[in-house]
Amino acid sequence: VQLQASGGGLVQAGGSLRLSCAASGLKFSMYVMGWFRQAPGKQRELVAGIRSEGTTNYVDSVKGRFTVSRDNDKNTVYLQMNNLKPEDTAVYYCAARYVTTSRYSVWGQGTQVTVSS
C-alpha cells in the first residue's frame, strides 16, 4: 500500500499549486482521502477530505481557495490551491482512511509547499 504525493514547490503569494497523490495497493473507492499539512512548530491539521462519491470538507482557513478532487479510475486525489498565502507554507501529506473507520491509517510522504510574501 502506497501513497505518492507530488506537486509542491515555491510560489509567490497569490499564486497557485496543484498537488497530486497517487494510490496503489488499496481499493481506492473504499477509502476517504485527505490532505493534511504541518507547518514548523504547529500541529498537523486536516486541510481537506473527500469521500469516494465526492463529498468534501475543508478547514475554514482554505475554504474558497482550495479544491480537493479525486479520480477513482486513476486512483489519484488532487488538491488545487489558489490564492496561496504565506501562512499556507507547510509540508503537505495525503492520507487515506477506510470508509468505515475514523482514523487515517495510510500516509504518503510529504511534499513541501512554500509561499513567499
Side-chain angles (χ1 to χ4, degrees):
V1 177
Q2 186 175 13
L3 300 178
Q4 184 71 39
S6 60
L10 173 64
V11 64
Q12 287 189 332
S16 298
L17 283 174
R18 188 194 196 204
L19 305 183
S20 299
C21 176
S24 60
L26 52 78
K27 190 171 177 62
F28 189 70
S29 62
M30 296 300 293
Y31 283 79
V32 178
M33 301 301 297
W35 285 99
F36 290 76
R37 67 185 179 188
Q38 187 165 21
K42 294 188 176 181
Q43 287 191 332
R44 184 173 59 194
E45 66 172 347
L46 177 61
V47 175
I50 183 167
R51 302 181 72 90
S52 182
E53 79 281 5
T55 304
T56 59
N57 63 278
Y58 299 91
V59 68
D60 285 347
S61 59
V62 308
K63 286 180 180 177
R65 300 188 299 121
F66 289 12
T67 302
V68 61
S69 61
R70 64 190 290 163
D71 186 332
N72 288 337
D73 291 333
K74 295 183 178 180
N75 287 3
T76 301
V77 61
Y78 306 96
L79 185 67
Q80 178 67 44
M81 304 184 293
N82 298 329
N83 190 21
L84 282 159
K85 303 177 180 181
E87 51 264 42
D88 295 318
T89 295
V91 178
Y92 284 71
Y93 301 88
C94 61
R97 64 174 175 88
Y98 193 70
V99 65
T100 59
T101 68
S102 60
R103 177 176 167 269
Y104 283 86
S105 58
V106 184
W107 290 85
Q109 91 290 1
T111 185
Q112 177 71 46
V113 171
T114 303
V115 185
S116 63
S117 56

